[in-house]
Amino acid sequence: MAGRPESLFSLFGSLEALPGIGPKLAKTLGDAGVTKPRDLLFTLPHSLVDRRPVATVRDCPAGTTVTTEVEVLRHFRAARAGAPSRVLVQDQAVELTLVFFRSSEKWLEKQLPVGERRVVSGKLDLFDGKAQIVHPDYILPITDAPELPRFEPVYPLTGGLTQKVMAKALGSVVQTLPDLAEWIDPGMVKKEAWPTWRQALGAAHAPQTLADVAPDAAARARLAYDELLAHQLTLALARRQARRGKGRATRGDGHIAQQVLQALPYQPTGAQTRAISEIHADMVKPLKMNRLLQGDVGSGKTLVALMALIAAVESGGQGVMMAPTEILARQHLESLAPLCADAGLVIEVLTGRDKGAERARKLGALAAGEIHILLGTHAVFQKDVEFHDLRLVIIDEQHRFGVAQRMELGSKGQAVDILVMTATPIPRSLALAQYGDMDVSILDEKPPGRQPIKTALISGERLDEVVAHLKRAVEDGRQAYWVCPLVEESERSDLQSAEERFRSLRAIFGEGVCGLVHGQLSSAEKDAAMADFVAGRSRVLVATTVIEVGVNVPNASIMVIERAESFGLAQLHQLRGRVGRGSAASTCLLMYQPPLTETGERRLKILRDSEDGFRIAEEDLSIRGAGDMIGTAQSGLPKFRIADLERQSDLMAIAQSDARVLLEMDPDLTSPRGVAARALLWLMEQDRAIRLISVG
């Protein structure tokens, strides 16, 4: 494909070509992620200064910016070194003082000659009950007053930059903007009454009212949509690429699946049945499957995964399921092995711990096709792991693979189907941003028999009561998790450490009653502690969040989370989901350290009042914002400069369907709108997407 369109060259040039920006400011901007005019252009003002003139400042509140015409009455020199100079002026009704630090008398007399009139604009303060403006932003002769902007945009600044420098540099970029052809569907532009791209940037950088800096202002909404459309085009191209990869029709005959379903002690839910049939429908097509299975805690994803793996085996192939931790890989083995054994399926687990002869045996059996289903950590993708006929890869949770990693995995050369599972309910807008290249199946029902969990908030000051309650429960034969935020006591933090809590509980409950699991233990130590807890030999498992996902001990019916206010909502919801898996009534105690902030209290109350992971996720998004919620670093979530995922989720959904429709109608983006869309991808630096069109 041709390179970047010539019309965009100026936007990708040097910042130093802009007025007022030398090497030093260019470096400052670069440190803030602004390296070229295009980045500057997408740095929009976040608020406005109202500089409309008033006849008098008499009724203006202190702290506001005022603009008024004044007569200069007299100058007061600085009384001593370091003291300010003052200039007394008068508007139509009151006198006010202009205050200047470190300004030369000569300069002041030139700017503000006694007896002449000037327009001054700046922040109004009161000092000893008298009005004053310290260092006015503007002092203009009456003839120059029309040049003063009525509404002045306020930009996010970084060291050494001033609003004036930003405004000047941006003014020159906006004036020389190229006219680009329209890439948005004309019907959408008309329906929303959106300006063109060029008009939108002009308006966004020259807001006339406060409404113009709101996300739903027409110019801003249009620019946000441009960003979302470029992102969704990239995902749609990635999705097309994944599907283009010659898949293979994987068609099971159902004979093993039937056996397994009949052996289950319960009927699958409607949501499970629907997800299984969506996955099977993908697998029988000669295209690669690229599907996300999203289900709340305890919604039964493991059964759906097993049914997909069985379809791969029934058609003569193999399946692999990758878990984020060894604990989970082994737990999948425990829950699936009995079902597989009844149906004559060979299932094995492979982790980094397998060495020597044992590893060689497993690899040999795998290459010979004697292992039907392989479970493991990312170790299953090491170079020497060869399958006889791999048909399906399931990635479970936690990797939270971004699009780039999923594309990498899909490009391993095998015509494998890919199913990604997540137990973290994600609000629709984030799911589209993160997984828009995938088709989605949602499990929104709980399997029969899952117990509701009673959740209570309790102050850390009542620790003794909690321990006493726990002691009685343990004596009655119940089991409990006790989750702590940190592993060891540290100088930096007063968050309770797992090691410390384990020692104090062991002193109360006696030897052998408490177990300990955290990330710094060796795999063997973690497995031994888990095995003791699963078998009921230990009754209280003190842990960090390593038990967040997937751990399944039906007899455990109490979850204590210490310093609950320091965890994310989604994480708390995951942890709570470790109980309520058996027949006993279950409790989750959220212990917090008072006083809670207003937000902290709101978050914990949402959790207390709801067990619906999707509702909790939406609330979490509105409180914390997208980046914090998923932990942007590892989330694969794009960083948008203008679009706001919390407030513009509807635009994200429209952008997804628009991108898919455009590519269906114009797969190579060669129509006039397609060519415009290519320019958008260059503009938004979606280089990966551009490569995908070229290989298209």
Side-chain angles (χ1 to χ4, degrees):
M1 164 180 178
R4 182 183 295 131
E6 209 170 307
S7 54
L8 299 179
F9 283 4
S10 63
L11 294 176
F12 286 81
S14 161
L15 283 176
E16 291 178 45
L18 301 176
I21 297 185
K24 194 173 166 199
L25 277 183
K27 185 185 180 310
T28 302
L29 282 164
D31 293 343
V34 175
T35 60
K36 49 196 166 302
R38 169 222 173 261
D39 305 335
L40 203 58
L41 201 54
F42 292 137
T43 305
L44 298 189
H46 55 72
S47 60
L48 274 187
V49 178
D50 182 347
R51 294 202 190 274
R52 288 174 298 180
V54 291
T56 175
V57 302
R58 184 168 54 195
D59 300 321
C60 299
T64 54
T65 295
V66 293
T67 304
T68 189
E69 187 181 319
V70 297
E71 182 187 346
V72 182
L73 301 179
R74 64 179 289 198
H75 285 241
F76 297 92
R77 287 171 181 270
R80 60 185 186 284
S85 302
R86 300 173 190 277
V87 180
L88 186 66
V89 299
Q90 179 163 16
D91 66 20
Q92 284 185 18
V94 293
E95 289 183 351
L96 62 153
T97 307
L98 308 181
V99 182
F100 299 87
F101 290 87
R102 294 186 298 282
S103 292
S104 82
E105 302 298 335
K106 211 168 174 181
W107 180 83
L108 282 175
E109 281 162 10
K110 192 176 170 196
Q111 292 294 314
L112 294 155
V114 173
E116 294 208 11
R117 302 188 75 75
R118 291 287 185 265
V119 170
V120 293
S121 185
K123 189 171 157 198
L124 183 69
D125 284 319
L126 286 179
F127 183 71
D128 280 349
K130 293 195 172 68
Q132 67 173 27
I133 297 175
V134 179
H135 285 282
D137 304 323
Y138 292 92
I139 302 169
L140 298 172
I142 304 301
T143 50
D144 293 350
E147 290 173 23
L148 189 69
R150 293 297 176 102
F151 291 97
E152 192 171 48
V154 179
Y155 290 97
L157 294 179
T158 180
L161 264 184
T162 64
Q163 296 295 347
K164 283 181 185 169
V165 169
M166 279 291 279
K168 194 171 170 189
L170 270 157
S172 88
V173 181
V174 170
Q175 273 167 12
T176 56
L177 280 178
D179 259 327
L180 300 177
E182 185 56 83
W183 46 70
I184 301 179
D185 175 57
M188 174 92 176
V189 174
K190 193 172 170 193
K191 177 173 160 281
E192 300 291 341
W194 279 344
T196 65
W197 174 76
R198 190 176 170 178
Q199 289 166 341
L201 279 163
H205 286 290
Q208 297 303 303
T209 67
L210 270 176
D212 293 343
V213 291
D216 56 0
R220 290 203 171 217
R222 190 241 141 88
L223 294 170
Y225 188 75
D226 290 341
E227 240 181 340
L228 299 174
L229 180 62
H231 174 65
Q232 287 297 330
L233 269 171
T234 304
L235 293 182
L237 284 160
R239 174 174 179 256
R240 179 178 78 179
Q241 191 62 11
R243 294 177 152 205
R244 274 217 173 137
K246 272 283 175 266
R248 290 158 71 195
T250 294
R251 189 184 297 279
D253 60 8
H255 74 283
I256 304 178
Q258 231 20 65
Q259 263 177 285
V260 170
L261 287 171
Q262 277 164 1
L264 289 176
Y266 56 85
Q267 283 288 312
T269 64
Q272 284 175 313
T273 307
R274 185 179 67 233
I276 291 166
S277 64
E278 286 169 350
I279 291 164
H280 284 172
D282 276 358
M283 291 175 77
V284 300
K285 291 178 190 157
L287 302 164
K288 283 189 189 178
M289 170 168 75
N290 192 26
R291 184 169 283 278
L292 171 71
L293 176 63
Q294 195 183 355
D296 202 348
V297 178
S299 56
K301 286 182 300 300
T302 312
L303 175 68
V304 177
L306 178 61
M307 288 298 135
L309 291 163
I310 287 173
V313 176
E314 285 177 349
S315 64
Q318 294 163 295
V320 61
M321 181 148 131
M322 186 162 95
T325 64
E326 206 164 311
I327 287 183
L328 277 182
R330 293 189 181 280
Q331 190 163 307
H332 281 317
L333 182 69
E334 278 159 32
S335 60
L336 297 179
L339 292 169
C340 289
D342 293 345
L345 292 173
V346 180
I347 183 168
E348 276 281 11
V349 66
L350 181 71
T351 68
R353 203 196 311 178
D354 290 299
K355 300 274 189 288
E358 177 62 1
R359 181 178 168 84
R361 180 192 68 74
K362 287 183 183 177
L363 293 185
L366 198 62
E370 291 157 13
I371 293 173
H372 300 126
I373 295 172
L374 183 68
L375 306 172
T377 54
H378 54 272
V380 299
F381 284 108
Q382 284 167 351
K383 283 210 168 49
D384 59 344
V385 180
E386 286 180 14
F387 292 84
H388 177 66
D389 179 11
L390 180 62
R391 296 288 184 105
L392 173 67
V393 174
I394 298 181
I395 301 164
D396 184 21
E397 203 32 274
Q398 247 15 50
H399 293 71
R400 297 189 174 144
F401 273 179
V403 184
Q405 290 118 313
R406 287 200 295 277
M407 284 166 74
E408 230 164 83
L409 191 65
S411 70
K412 280 205 165 282
Q414 312 103 329
V416 294
D417 287 326
I418 293 181
L419 179 67
V420 176
M421 302 200 299
T422 175
T424 310
I426 305 171
R428 182 166 160 72
S429 57
L430 295 194
L432 287 175
Q434 206 175 357
Y435 299 112
D437 58 320
M438 309 187 83
D439 300 299
V440 182
S441 294
I442 292 182
L443 295 180
D444 47 13
E445 295 173 57
K446 280 201 175 179
R450 287 297 300 248
Q451 298 296 319
I453 301 164
K454 182 173 184 295
T455 303
L457 308 187
I458 190 161
S459 161
E461 291 163 350
R462 295 170 61 191
L463 177 71
D464 294 349
E465 289 173 50
V466 173
V467 172
H469 168 78
L470 195 61
K471 204 164 191 301
R472 286 194 297 276
V474 166
E475 283 159 6
D476 289 345
R478 293 169 70 185
Q479 282 179 280
Y481 296 99
W482 188 299
V483 177
C484 304
L486 282 180
V487 179
E488 292 169 351
E489 283 291 84
S490 78
E491 299 282 316
R492 294 188 315 280
S493 170
D494 60 345
L495 297 189
Q496 182 62 51
S497 83
E499 299 268 4
E500 177 85 358
R501 180 57 67 218
F502 170 68
R503 286 193 291 271
S504 70
L505 290 176
R506 186 176 58 187
I508 295 166
F509 287 79
E511 281 298 324
V513 178
C514 299
L516 174 66
V517 174
H518 59 67
Q520 291 171 21
L521 294 175
S522 71
S523 298
E525 289 170 314
K526 274 190 272 200
D527 281 358
M530 283 306 300
D532 282 347
F533 190 62
V534 170
R537 290 187 289 274
S538 65
R539 315 298 296 175
V540 178
L541 186 65
V542 179
T544 54
T545 56
V546 289
I547 61 153
E548 178 184 339
V549 178
V551 176
N552 187 25
V553 181
N555 190 47
S557 58
I558 299 170
M559 168 65 73
V560 180
I561 303 173
E562 220 171 320
R563 294 302 299 270
E565 74 278 10
S566 67
F567 292 90
L569 269 183
Q571 204 174 26
L572 289 170
H573 180 59
Q574 291 287 345
L575 287 166
R576 173 171 64 181
R578 299 307 109 219
V579 295
R581 292 171 168 253
S583 51
S586 290
T587 319
C588 174
L589 297 179
L590 301 174
M591 284 175 66
Y592 62 88
Q593 181 167 317
L596 275 178
T597 62
E598 199 178 317
T599 308
E601 188 173 352
R602 182 178 153 201
R603 288 172 59 235
L604 294 182
K605 280 182 173 168
I606 291 162
L607 208 75
R608 182 191 64 195
D609 300 339
S610 176
E611 271 194 74
D612 176 347
F614 286 93
R615 194 195 136 206
I616 290 167
E618 292 286 357
E619 290 280 355
D620 203 9
L621 177 62
S622 74
I623 293 172
R624 287 204 293 160
D628 288 344
M629 185 174 161
I630 304 193
T632 312
Q634 86 284 11
S635 70
L637 249 194
K639 286 187 171 71
F640 295 118
R641 278 180 179 270
I642 298 171
D644 179 332
L645 285 182
E646 289 101 277
R647 295 187 184 83
Q648 295 176 313
S649 53
D650 52 335
L651 286 184
M652 178 67 97
I654 297 165
Q656 186 196 40
S657 69
D658 194 16
R660 289 185 176 188
V661 169
L662 174 59
L663 283 174
E664 273 162 33
M665 287 163 42
D666 180 13
D668 299 323
L669 297 182
T670 49
S671 67
R673 187 181 164 208
V675 173
R678 286 175 178 238
L680 171 68
L681 291 171
W682 280 110
L683 181 67
M684 295 301 178
E685 301 187 302
Q686 295 287 354
D687 304 22
R688 195 174 69 245
I690 291 158
R691 286 201 301 278
L692 287 175
I693 308 171
S694 3
V695 296

